[in-house]
């Protein structure tokens, strides 16, 4: 090739690159705006989600824990908390609902913090069950028995794995850990505890079966009591948002600045939330929202946009899988509008 031709082909390349660059400009700029929403964007979206879904009446309060059926069904709160501690909220922010299964990833985090992720994997498991959260069948068909720390079996096992010298200490560690993530004191809703502990025959069965299989690591009734108490902790929508933002912030609470779990274990925890946080609806949820999340039968859901912020919502009416209908709608709406699904902007269809 002559020098001139070479120059010409270089010129053609440059023009080609410029054309491709121009063609990609909208993609690049939309990716940028998706990555960096403004405070106004966050506030507008929580307001929109609240207004769009506040009249949805589908689903019903959990009633297998009798007291949950008495929580006013119309309550609805939506919030976003960023990794630098800003909170954007709409609807109910004060009402303290029971954290229920949203507590599970945080106790799994405590086990990881005390003993590392290998222990969690070997002594509980990290596989989704594809079955409801309270499944006894999962225990019989999976060799790991507890299967993962986000279903009841695995969560009771996680409580039993917490290294503690007594039941009081076990509870104190679990409770203080939740408070560390929330960045403030969290009460136990004693009426919720009593209501669940008096009726938890299914979970008692699970705890005893796990013990029988050598997959529970403390006295079964102790694990059951501490687990039930953990589920009875009262949080409001803002507490939930801060707990999620702490995970989004790599394990440092953005309000207190305190590290509550090692940064290097956050990805494993989020992976379990992505694959099992919605139980037998986890695939559906990843398909529509694309975010690691955790739900609870109290009506709370926390979703994490890793490294950025948390989107949360609370409303008591649940679908068949035990997941809050309005909270799911609100979070997937916001995630869709912001284009923050982990694998690219999910269209939510
Ligand atoms: N405490 C509840 C239970 O053990 C938690 C279930 C949930 O929130 N999915 O049944």
């Amino acid at each position: 090739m002559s020098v001139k031709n070479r120059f010409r082909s270089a010129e053609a390349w440059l023009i080609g690159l410029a054309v491709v660059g121009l063609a990609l400009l909208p993609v690049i700029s939309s990716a940028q705006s998706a990555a960096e929403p403004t405070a106004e964007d966050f506030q507008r979206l929580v307001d929109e989600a609240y207004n769009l879904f506040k009249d949805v009446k589908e689903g019903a309060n959990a009633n297998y824990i009798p007291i949950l059926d008495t929580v006013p069904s119309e309550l609805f709160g939506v919030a976003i908390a960023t990794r630098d501690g800003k909170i954007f909220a709409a609807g109910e922010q004060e009402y303290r609902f029971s954290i229920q299964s949203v507590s599970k990833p945080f106790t799994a985090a405590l086990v990881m913090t005390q003993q590392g992720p290998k222990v969690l994997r070997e002594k509980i498991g990290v596989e989704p069950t594809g079955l409801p959260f309270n499944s006894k069948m999962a225990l019989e068909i999976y060799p790991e028995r507890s299967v993962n720390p986000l279903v009841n079996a695995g969560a009771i096992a996680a409580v039993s794995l917490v290294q503690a010298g007594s039941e009081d200490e076990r509870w104190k560690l679990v409770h203080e850990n939740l408070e560390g993530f929330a960045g403030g004191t969290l009460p136990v809703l004693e009426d919720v505890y009593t209501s669940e502990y008096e009726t938890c025959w299914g979970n008692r069965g699970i705890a005893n079966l796990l013990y029988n299989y050598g997959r529970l690591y403390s006295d079964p009734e102790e694990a059951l009591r501490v687990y039930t108490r953990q589920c009875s902790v009262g949080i409001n929508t803002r507490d939930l948002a801060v707990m999620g933002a702490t995970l989004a912030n790599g394990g440092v609470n953005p309000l207190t600045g305190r590290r509550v779990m090692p940064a290097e274990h956050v990805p494993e925890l989020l992976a379990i939330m992505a694959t099992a946080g919605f139980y037998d609806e986890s695939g559906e949820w990843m398909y529509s929202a694309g975010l690691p999340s955790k739900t609870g039968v109290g009506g709370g859901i926390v979703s994490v946009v890793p490294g950025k912020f948390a989107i949360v919502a609370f409303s008591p009416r649940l679908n068949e899988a035990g997941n809050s209908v309005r909270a799911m709608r609100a979070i997937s709406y916001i995630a869709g509008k912001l284009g923050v699904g982990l694998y690219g902007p999910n269209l939510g269809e």
Side-chain angles (χ1 to χ4, degrees):
M1 206 190 284
S2 73
V3 172
K4 198 169 162 194
N5 276 351
R6 235 186 244 167
F7 179 73
R8 280 238 178 88
S9 74
E11 198 176 35
W13 263 103
L14 277 178
I15 292 170
L17 269 180
V19 170
V20 171
L22 276 178
L24 282 178
L25 210 58
V27 179
I28 294 165
S29 62
S30 78
Q32 266 169 1
S33 67
E36 287 161 33
T38 62
E40 290 72 34
D41 292 333
F42 283 141
Q43 189 58 52
R44 179 175 42 79
L45 284 170
V46 291
D47 288 338
E48 273 175 24
Y50 177 78
N51 286 316
L52 276 170
F53 305 113
K54 70 180 182 346
D55 299 319
V56 171
K57 307 278 185 216
E58 284 160 47
N61 284 34
N63 60 9
Y64 74 98
I65 299 172
I67 203 163
L68 295 186
D69 205 19
T70 67
V71 176
S73 305
E74 290 308 324
L75 292 172
F76 183 31
V78 184
I80 292 175
T82 61
R83 64 173 299 179
D84 56 354
K86 295 194 183 72
I87 301 175
F88 305 91
E92 179 58 52
Q93 300 299 316
E94 299 306 322
Y95 186 89
R96 284 195 185 273
F97 53 96
S98 54
I99 187 170
Q100 299 295 344
S101 290
V102 182
S103 61
K104 291 170 178 173
F106 300 101
T107 297
L110 174 60
V111 171
M112 283 178 159
T113 303
Q114 279 189 332
Q115 301 173 69
K118 193 158 168 260
V119 165
L120 197 76
R121 187 186 205 159
E122 288 175 355
K123 297 205 158 177
I124 297 179
V126 294
E127 206 56 37
T129 62
L131 289 165
F133 62 82
N134 52 3
S135 174
K136 286 109 206 144
M137 193 165 71
L139 245 121
E140 299 301 336
I141 59 180
Y142 289 98
E144 299 85 2
R145 309 298 181 186
S146 41
V147 196
N148 73 65
L150 304 188
V151 292
N152 289 9
I156 299 169
V159 165
S160 80
L161 255 186
V162 170
Q163 289 171 322
S166 66
E167 180 168 343
D168 282 351
E169 194 195 350
R170 186 178 307 285
W171 164 245
K172 191 167 176 279
L173 287 169
V174 165
H175 190 198
E176 284 175 359
N177 177 62
L178 293 174
E179 293 185 324
F181 275 94
T185 54
L186 298 176
V188 172
L189 306 177
E190 290 293 344
D191 49 354
V192 175
Y193 175 74
T194 305
S195 182
E196 180 162 1
Y197 190 63
E198 281 174 352
T199 54
C200 65
W201 302 104
N203 283 341
R204 183 169 287 114
I206 287 173
N208 283 299
L209 278 174
L210 285 176
Y211 192 71
N212 179 55
Y213 286 126
R215 298 286 288 176
L216 199 84
Y217 310 98
S218 73
D219 169 68
E221 200 60 29
E222 174 181 335
L224 184 65
R225 269 193 299 267
V226 175
Y227 163 79
T228 308
R229 194 161 270 284
Q230 161 186 312
C231 290
S232 310
V233 164
I235 55 168
N236 62 27
T237 312
R238 295 171 80 87
D239 296 325
L240 185 58
V242 176
M243 294 178 90
T246 302
L247 292 178
N249 194 31
V252 174
N253 184 307
L255 297 189
T256 63
R258 192 161 79 79
R259 173 164 293 290
V260 291
M261 73 176 289
E264 64 267 29
H265 301 334
V266 174
E268 282 116 329
L269 187 64
L270 294 178
I272 309 171
M273 290 169 72
T275 52
F278 265 69
Y279 320 113
D280 44 334
E281 233 178 22
S282 298
E284 282 280 344
W285 179 250
M286 283 309 277
Y287 193 86
S288 62
L291 291 176
S293 305
K294 189 70 205 81
T295 73
V297 292
I301 304 183
V302 57
S303 293
V304 179
V305 182
K308 296 191 174 126
F309 50 87
I311 313 171
V312 306
F314 152 66
S315 198
R317 289 200 194 94
L318 313 177
N319 68 8
E320 287 293 310
N323 302 322
S324 166
V325 177
R326 286 185 192 166
M328 284 170 74
R329 301 252 173 104
I331 294 171
S332 41
Y333 173 80
I334 294 171
K337 287 283 170 191
L338 290 172
V340 289
L342 285 196
Y343 309 106
N346 294 26
L347 298 179
E349 285 165 2

